Structures are given as structure tokens and as C-alpha cells.
Amino acid sequence: MPLLRVRREPPTFRRVSLRRTTSLSPHLLRVTLGGDGLRGYEPGPPAASVRMLLPRLGDPNLAIPTWNGNEYLHDDGARPTIRTYTPRHVDLSRDELDIDVVLHATGAVPIWLGSAEAGTEVGIAGPGRGYEIDDTATSFVLVGDESAIPAISQLLEHLPQTVQVRVLVEIANADARHELPRHPGCTVRWIDRPDEAAPGSTLVTAVEGLAIPDEARLWVAGEAASMQRIRRHLFEERAMPRAQAVVRGYWKSGKAGDVSGD
């Protein structure tokens, strides 16, 4: 029998409740959570993550699952519904946390929001790892798909105003374009993905053709398979130093699970 790989237990889930939702675009919804459970919460560095635990179907009370050393499970062995997001804004004076959710017809959180009422309880755990900004860098390149828009927005708010920033975002629909925070040194390129193209494929092509200065720092996030291709291109084909770029898979095409952006 193979040994069960024991993983470090994630942060404990905090009980919070749904306060309101705000439409940011046809494809992006801001979900505001709040309550005493946020007291003492530390937001962490930009582009960090939080896990959102949804109530079990048909159960009005939020059941907190147990960590078994490898994953969270409910008492009956069922896997809980957990999704990972960027904590977009934190207002501890109001005990509120904003999470921006990409709207997919089959996403667990958008489906839940379709029937959830204000006051419905959910769980929040985090924050997870974020992006440590290199204060010595003079140029940054931020790359992602729709799921990365909240993190890219947060990074633009935290990057020094004196640096040059290039942003590349792949979108499936023109109305997925979202106004990003203003940065004096920023240029933005929206990349339209053809209907027949695989998620992330046009982003891979864009990165492969991108002129990247030696001093630039890269942050890249999006669909997992495309992130593997970008990682291979940067670190193997370009032989870029590992410290120069952070590449993160946020979700997997065709698979529901514990992923960013749903």
C-alpha cells in the first residue's frame, strides 16, 4: 500500500458571511464577505490567495471539514467544495473582504451565488503565498488570463510608480476587458482568444514572441497547462534565471477543483 503523503495543514477556516455582490463587468463579480471571523486576518503581500469553503448542498449550516494530512474531508468522507481566489481588498475597520470572481456558467461559486442570500455563511482560509516585489527592479511584465485580472490589478496598485510595467491579458470575449488600476509606467495589451483555441494558447504565443529585458521581473498566472509551457519556454528555452520570473497555474481546463478563479 502506498504511503499517504503528509502535507502541512493549511490555515484554519474562518467563518464569515456573504454581505453583498457588485458587478464589475459581464464576466467579473465582486463578492464582499464579512463578520467577526475576519478579526486578526492578515492580508499578506499582493497576489496572495485565500480559500473559500462553500456550504454543502442542501445544508443551511456551514460544515468545517477536517484536514487528514493530505486533503480536507467531511465526516462522511465527502470532499468539500473549496475554491481559491485573490483577496482583492481587505477593510478590517469594517471586517470586510472583497473577492473578485470570474463568472463561468459551470463554476461552483457562481452557481452558489445564484441562490445564496446575504448572511449565508462561508469559510475563508489564508492568506497563501503572494508576490514579493523586488525593490531593485526597474521593469515588470505581468501576464495572465481572466482569472489573473484581480491579482494583476493588485500588483499594479503595489508596484512602485517609477517602474515600467507591461501587462498582457488573454480574454475569451471582448466584454471581459476590465479597467485596471492606473499606473504611470503601464501599458496594457488585451489578447483576444479565438473560440476554437485552447485556453492559454494565445498567451503562450504572446510570451514566446515577447522581448523581455534582462532586468525585467515577470509574474505570470493562468490555465495550468499553458503555464507549464510558459515555464518551460522561460526557464529552459530562454534559460532565464528562476529568480527573475514567477509562473503559477491558477486553474485547469476541463477540471473542477480547488483552483483560482473557479
Side-chain angles (χ1 to χ4, degrees), residues 78 115 136 154 174 204 217 223 237 245 261:
S115 59
T136 67
Q154 202 171 59
V204 173
R217 298 294 181 267
E223 196 280 325
E237 296 173 14

Side-chain angles (χ1 to χ4, degrees), residues 9 13 15 53-54 56 62-68 71-75 78-82:
E9 183 172 1
F13 281 105
R15 291 180 180 271
L53 168 69
L54 297 185
R56 302 188 72 175
L62 180 69
I64 303 295
T66 301
W67 180 255
N68 70 356
E71 63 179 339
Y72 280 110
L73 292 175
H74 286 299
D75 292 341
R79 294 186 66 186
T81 301
I82 299 173

Side-chain angles (χ1 to χ4, degrees), residues 28-205:
L28 197 63
L29 184 72
R30 175 156 295 167
V31 178
T32 300
L33 306 172
D36 295 347
L38 284 177
R39 292 179 181 174
Y41 174 85
E42 296 290 340
S49 62
V50 292
R51 288 183 171 185
M52 181 190 295
L53 168 69
L54 297 185
R56 302 188 72 175
L57 188 63
D59 189 346
N61 300 311
L62 180 69
I64 303 295
T66 301
W67 180 255
N68 70 356
N70 184 61
E71 63 179 339
Y72 280 110
L73 292 175
H74 286 299
D75 292 341
D76 60 2
R79 294 186 66 186
T81 301
I82 299 173
R83 297 295 184 266
T84 306
Y85 292 99
T86 299
R88 187 64 184 88
H89 292 120
V90 180
D91 185 349
L92 295 181
S93 68
R94 298 170 59 90
D95 291 330
E96 288 189 344
L97 168 66
D98 288 337
I99 294 174
D100 293 349
V101 176
V102 177
L103 297 177
H104 294 298
T106 59
V109 172
I111 290 174
W112 169 73
L113 286 169
S115 59
E117 299 178 351
T120 301
E121 198 173 47
V122 298
I124 287 294
R129 61 181 180 174
Y131 181 65
E132 298 294 341
I133 296 173
D134 184 349
D135 293 333
T136 67
T138 59
S139 176
F140 289 83
V141 181
L142 311 179
V143 180
D145 58 20
E146 292 106 323
S147 70
I149 289 177
I152 289 174
S153 299
Q154 202 171 59
L155 287 168
L156 287 173
E157 292 171 344
H158 283 78
L159 288 175
Q161 299 289 289
T162 55
V163 303
Q164 296 298 307
V165 188
R166 278 186 293 174
V167 175
L168 282 72
V169 184
E170 180 191 275
I171 52 176
N173 305 95
D175 57 4
R177 298 189 182 201
H178 175 65
E179 185 174 354
L180 300 176
R182 295 185 180 277
H183 185 287
C186 179
T187 58
V188 180
R189 176 186 171 192
W190 297 95
I191 305 171
D192 295 316
R193 185 179 75 243
D195 293 340
E196 68 278 6
S201 57
T202 54
L203 207 57
V204 173
T205 300

Side-chain angles (χ1 to χ4, degrees), residues 216-250:
R217 298 294 181 267
L218 278 72
W219 181 93
V220 189
E223 196 280 325
S226 64
M227 293 303 104
Q228 289 179 349
R229 293 171 60 190
I230 289 176
R231 190 178 291 111
R232 184 166 55 250
H233 170 73
L234 294 177
F235 299 140
E236 297 179 14
E237 296 173 14
R238 293 204 189 205
M240 181 177 289
R242 297 273 174 170
Q244 190 174 348
V246 169
V247 184
R248 293 176 178 166
Y250 265 14

